[in-house]
């Protein structure tokens, strides 16, 4: 975690050092503060017995669900979306915390109701509601990217829990039909445009395809070894918007090239494998499912962000863990690491 953050804060400093007129040059300092706060929270959570976390899992889900509801009722609107909750000096994005709430609730439910049983379609009705209610609320904001993340986290957890083959085929058919219906009747025009842009970004090169094209230019211009630290033309000339959030990986590619990106991906893979190993080594079923859920949060964030800036997926607003600027996401990842550390410590201290 610390190694990825160190790479991230250096990349954030590099990508924003020329944007003094927008005040972006100080973002890396704010990111350091958020990281230190997240580490403090992670350390505090690491001393909590996982049995206590299990006991209060549903409260975590209900609390985060309530915050998402507050966003719909009194959230602050920004860039055409109502995703932020502002309370005094505190500005947060509750949908980020909802990912942890979902993981906690599903881990608790699967542990108490079906600890050993393979899941049939009927067994997924209540877990589906646990996932579906916040997902709909998040998509309405609108935040389709986070809504899809909640769905992907749910899918990874139920597959880890084990599904019957008949259930897998049924879910596949439902997913295909739902995708068609969602595209025709559920997506807004700008969301459909993102899909068209993904297929052919040059169809609207100066409009909806601009970010995708500039991102590919940044990645391609990095070649094998990159242009060097603080030498990103896409960042310094501000050709690539949101280069400190959604497109940090593109800037990292431009400055450090193919080999630098491979090094970063290896750091993420090591972290994922560590979590998978931990999930397989613990004795309690709740702990194992919980760790897989936390791993899925980090994995899907990383995979979707890297794939979208590389042109392999449509552009959605998904931050890269510990690399993208953002207090709510950083705190969410910190809590996730704290829970994982708590489970790891439980093998020696809490038994």
């Amino acid at each position: 975690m610390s190694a990825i953050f160190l790479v991230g804060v250096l990349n954030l400093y590099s990508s924003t050092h020329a944007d003094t007129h927008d005040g972006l040059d100080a973002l890396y300092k704010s990111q350091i503060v958020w990281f230190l706060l997240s580490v403090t929270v992670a350390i505090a959570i690491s001393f909590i017995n996982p049995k206590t976390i299990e006991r209060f899992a549903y409260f975590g889900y209900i609390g985060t669900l309530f915050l998402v509801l507050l966003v719909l009722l009194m959230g602050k609107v920004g860039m055409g979306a109502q995703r932020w909750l502002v309370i005094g000096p505190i500005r947060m994005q509750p949908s980020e915390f909802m990912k942890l709430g979902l993981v906690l609730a599903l881990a608790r439910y699967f542990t108490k109701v079906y600890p050993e049983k393979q899941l049939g379609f009927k067994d997924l009705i209540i877990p589906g509601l646990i996932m579906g209610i916040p997902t709909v609320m998040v998509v309405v904001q609108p935040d389709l990217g986070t809504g899809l993340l909640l769905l992907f986290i749910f899918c990874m957890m139920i597959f880890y829990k084990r599904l019957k083959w008949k259930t897998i085929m049924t879910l596949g058919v439902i997913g295909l039909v739902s995708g068609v219906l969602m595209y025709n009747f559920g997506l807004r025009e700008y969301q459909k445009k993102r899909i068209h842009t993904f297929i052919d970004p040059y169809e609207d090169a100066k409009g909806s395809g601009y970010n995708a094209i500039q991102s590919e230019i940044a990645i391609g211009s990095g070649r094998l070894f990159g242009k060097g630290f603080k030498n990103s033309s896409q960042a310094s000339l501000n050709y690539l918007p949101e280069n400190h959030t959604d497109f940090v990986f593109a800037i990292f590619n431009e400055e450090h090239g193919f080999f630098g990106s491979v090094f970063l991906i290896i750091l993420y893979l090591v972290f994922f494998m560590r979590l998978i190993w931990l999930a397989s080594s613990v004795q309690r079923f709740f702990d194992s499912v919980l760790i897989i859920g936390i791993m899925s949060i980090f994995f899907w964030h990383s995979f979707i962000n890297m794939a979208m800036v590389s042109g392999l997926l449509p552009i959605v607003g998904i931050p890269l863990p510990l690399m993208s600027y953002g207090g709510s996401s950083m705190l969410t990842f910190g809590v996730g690491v704290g829970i994982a550390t708590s489970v790891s410590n439980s093998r020696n201290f809490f038994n």
Side-chain angles (χ1 to χ4, degrees):
M1 175 180 175
S2 298
I4 298 174
F5 169 75
L6 180 59
V7 173
V9 76
L10 288 174
N11 186 68
L12 188 61
Y13 169 75
S14 175
S15 63
T16 60
H17 75 280
D19 293 319
T20 55
H21 60 286
D22 290 330
L24 295 180
D25 58 317
L27 286 183
Y28 75 96
K29 298 177 183 178
S30 178
Q31 188 80 333
I32 292 174
V33 173
W34 277 111
F35 176 74
L36 293 176
L37 177 60
S38 300
V39 169
T40 302
V41 172
I43 293 174
I45 294 176
S46 69
F47 288 103
I48 300 176
N49 192 318
K51 294 180 180 179
T52 303
I53 295 176
E54 179 180 4
R55 191 177 306 120
F56 290 95
Y58 287 142
F59 291 100
Y61 173 80
I62 294 172
T64 52
L65 189 65
F66 177 71
L67 290 176
V68 173
L69 177 61
L70 283 182
V71 171
L72 295 178
L73 297 176
M74 50 181 290
K76 182 178 177 60
V77 178
M79 295 185 293
Q82 189 171 340
R83 303 175 186 174
W84 293 270
L85 193 62
V86 179
I87 304 175
I90 302 175
R91 176 188 172 97
M92 67 178 77
Q93 190 172 349
S95 58
E96 292 292 330
F97 308 138
M98 191 67 245
K99 300 162 193 171
L100 286 172
L102 175 64
V103 167
L104 287 167
L106 290 177
R108 175 71 186 271
Y109 182 81
F110 289 142
T111 301
K112 295 300 181 183
V113 182
Y114 304 109
E116 300 296 338
K117 175 185 175 184
Q118 280 189 321
L119 299 177
F121 183 74
K122 292 182 179 179
D123 301 324
L124 293 177
I125 293 177
I126 294 180
L129 288 174
I130 292 175
M131 177 275 300
I133 293 173
T135 298
V136 171
M137 293 168 65
V138 168
V139 170
V140 168
Q141 293 180 358
D143 188 354
L144 182 61
T146 301
L148 289 174
L149 265 176
L150 293 174
L151 176 62
F152 292 157
I153 292 167
F154 171 77
C155 290
M156 183 170 285
M157 292 184 72
I158 62 175
F159 270 89
Y160 181 75
K161 173 64 182 68
R162 291 183 305 162
L163 298 173
K164 296 178 180 178
W165 279 107
K166 186 177 180 180
T167 305
I168 295 175
M169 291 186 289
T170 303
L171 291 176
V173 173
I174 292 176
L176 182 61
V177 174
S178 299
V180 174
L181 293 176
M182 175 63 74
Y183 178 82
N184 287 288
F185 304 105
L187 294 184
R188 305 189 181 194
E189 283 305 315
Y190 79 91
Q191 293 170 331
K192 291 182 179 180
K193 212 164 188 179
R194 286 181 178 178
I195 297 177
H196 298 159
T197 298
F198 164 65
I199 298 173
D200 182 14
Y202 290 92
E203 180 182 352
D204 187 12
K206 295 184 179 180
S208 60
Y210 179 81
N211 287 356
I213 293 172
Q214 296 303 318
S215 180
E216 291 180 12
I217 290 174
I219 292 174
S221 63
R223 300 189 177 183
L224 289 179
F225 300 102
K227 296 179 178 178
F229 184 63
K230 296 170 61 174
N231 288 328
S232 168
S233 58
Q234 296 296 93
S236 60
L237 299 176
N238 205 29
Y239 287 147
L240 184 59
E242 307 300 330
N243 55 57
H244 60 292
T245 53
D246 298 342
F247 292 95
V248 290
F249 187 63
I251 300 302
F252 185 84
N253 269 268
E254 184 179 9
E255 293 189 352
H256 304 284
F258 173 78
F259 288 109
S261 299
V262 169
F263 171 74
L264 179 62
I265 292 172
I266 289 175
L267 288 180
Y268 278 108
L269 289 176
V270 170
F271 181 60
F272 299 153
M273 293 305 297
R274 169 66 181 175
L275 290 176
I276 293 173
W277 172 84
L278 178 60
S280 64
S281 65
V282 295
Q283 296 181 350
R284 299 176 68 241
F285 182 75
F286 172 82
D287 296 347
S288 181
V289 178
L290 181 62
I291 292 301
I292 289 299
I294 291 172
M295 189 278 294
S296 69
I297 295 175
F298 281 90
F299 171 78
W300 286 118
H301 268 274
S302 305
F303 175 78
I304 294 175
N305 181 277
M306 292 181 179
M308 75 174 187
V309 302
S310 303
L312 302 177
L313 287 176
I315 301 294
V316 290
I318 300 295
L320 186 60
L322 306 174
M323 292 279 292
S324 296
Y325 175 80
S328 296
S329 60
M330 182 66 75
L331 191 57
T332 298
F333 298 135
V335 172
V337 170
I339 293 174
T341 306
S342 169
V343 172
S344 180
N345 291 342
S346 69
R347 295 175 301 154
N348 301 316
F349 302 117
F350 296 136
N351 290 330

